[in-house]
Amino acid sequence: MEMKPREAEKENLNEVANRESPQCCSWCHKVHTTVSNFMLPEDTRSRYMERANCLPPPIFIISISLAELAIFIYYAVWMPQKQWITLDKGVWDSPFIYRPDKRKEAWRFVSYMFVHAGVQHIIGNLFMQLILGIPLELVHKGHRVGLVYLAGVIGGSLASSIFDPMLGLVGASGGGYALMGGYFMNVLVNFKQMVPLFGIFRLAFILTIVGTDVGFALYRRFLVEGEVLRVSFVAHIAGGLAGMTIGYVVFSCYDQKLLKDPRFWASILAYVACVVFAIIFNIFLSPAA
């Protein structure tokens, strides 16, 4: 009896997973099989399993997450304030936060990702980037995930300095949304190669996380009252766009060399053009002090 294509693919994956390979220890087989089912289109899973290994582990996303958590705890515990609930003036004086009046301190366009506006903010960002970042890094390795993540972080702060120039910026949402945007585009483009139920579940999962996080961001931007400091939400949008462009290219050619892919260079050139424009805007045109 002739085997159906999907059953044949599943059988092929099982054979590869059960094969004794020096590249992947036995306890990693199930992990990599699950990861390949969720992160890759069907026609590339067997190639991934042939070279799957646990080295290096997902160091980048775990290290970034631990650093963000450590700095949040520092400002919330060792410098007691309202940081458990929302952004307070003590955090506003942090050397990490992006502030329009301190934008000449260029590191703030990146370091703002280490400071968060409350416990729900840090939990949401860590959950998003760990649940997506760890499997993405297992497949694509740290240098590619780091490229997409930092593209979202930098793009988020630069976009915020243009479209919301009078407000500060905190949180790693730009990086998290870049990972989300890249993954979302791959799910969307390769939807027909996925089990429809899983495909719908993944899209619904992404939209639920995005909707919840954007809701908090809009609240912090438009609805907070009193002495609580408002922060921009533009980084969410810019990070997502960075993910849908650079992230999509990076995550869609995991088994190819990026430098040989013309789509990669096109997205990088477009990104660099936007960065140059943002730098010129901040130097000559920004209404911020």
Side-chain angles (χ1 to χ4, degrees):
M1 181 175 64
E2 185 178 355
M3 188 176 293
K4 294 181 180 179
R6 189 174 299 279
E7 293 176 353
E9 176 68 21
K10 185 176 180 181
E11 183 68 23
N12 186 36
L13 281 175
N14 290 334
E15 290 177 1
V16 174
N18 292 325
R19 186 185 305 158
E20 293 184 1
S21 170
Q23 292 184 333
C24 184
C25 53
S26 58
W27 63 271
C28 289
H29 284 323
K30 290 185 179 180
V31 172
H32 285 294
T33 300
T34 302
V35 167
S36 67
N37 288 336
F38 277 88
M39 294 290 122
L40 295 171
E42 190 174 26
D43 60 349
T44 60
R45 293 171 193 166
S46 59
R47 295 202 303 274
Y48 167 73
M49 290 303 299
E50 289 175 358
R51 69 173 195 176
N53 61 75
C54 299
L55 296 175
I59 295 175
F60 173 80
I61 199 67
I62 292 176
S63 299
I64 286 290
S65 299
L66 288 175
E68 292 165 0
L69 180 61
I71 291 175
F72 173 81
I73 292 175
Y74 170 76
Y75 281 104
V77 177
W78 279 276
M79 296 181 64
Q81 52 185 290
K82 298 178 182 178
Q83 175 68 359
W84 283 113
I85 302 173
T86 189
L87 189 67
D88 195 47
K89 291 183 178 179
V91 181
W92 185 253
D93 295 327
S94 167
F96 296 109
I97 190 174
Y98 169 77
R99 289 172 49 175
D101 60 325
K102 299 283 188 179
R103 68 185 186 281
K104 292 182 180 179
E105 299 173 351
W107 71 82
R108 291 177 182 265
F109 284 91
V110 178
S111 64
Y112 78 93
M113 68 179 180
F114 293 112
V115 185
H116 286 78
V119 66
Q120 92 286 342
H121 193 201
I122 183 74
I123 289 176
N125 279 346
L126 290 182
F127 177 79
M128 180 190 302
Q129 66 190 36
L130 286 173
I131 201 169
L132 271 179
I134 288 177
L136 282 172
E137 192 167 343
L138 284 172
V139 174
H140 303 283
K141 304 306 177 185
H143 63 289
R144 292 193 176 193
V145 171
L147 170 65
V148 175
Y149 188 88
L150 292 177
V153 169
I154 296 172
S157 58
L158 289 174
S160 179
S161 70
I162 294 174
F163 297 105
D164 224 347
M166 306 306 294
L167 293 183
L169 186 63
V170 295
S173 296
Y177 273 72
L179 300 181
M180 184 78 75
Y183 178 66
F184 175 81
M185 285 298 295
N186 274 286
V187 171
L188 205 60
V189 170
N190 298 297
F191 188 83
K192 292 182 179 180
Q193 298 185 42
M194 301 177 180
V195 179
L197 180 61
F198 281 162
I200 294 173
F201 170 77
R202 292 174 210 181
L203 292 177
F205 174 74
I206 292 172
L207 293 176
T208 299
I209 294 178
V210 170
T212 303
D213 191 61
V214 169
F216 278 117
L218 292 174
Y219 169 79
R220 289 190 297 268
R221 171 62 178 85
F222 295 107
L223 299 179
V224 293
E225 298 177 353
E227 297 182 355
V228 178
L229 297 168
R230 294 185 300 162
V231 291
S232 176
F233 72 97
V234 176
H236 296 70
I237 300 172
L241 291 175
M244 291 181 180
T245 52
I246 296 177
Y248 167 65
V249 174
V250 171
F251 297 153
S252 66
C253 58
Y254 85 98
D255 58 347
Q256 303 173 20
K257 293 184 178 180
L258 280 177
L259 299 182
K260 293 184 178 181
D261 192 331
R263 299 177 305 163
F264 174 72
W265 290 110
S267 61
I268 288 295
L269 288 175
Y271 183 85
V272 170
C274 292
V275 169
V276 171
F277 172 79
I279 292 173
I280 294 173
F281 178 89
N282 276 278
I283 294 175
F284 299 107
L285 303 173
S286 177

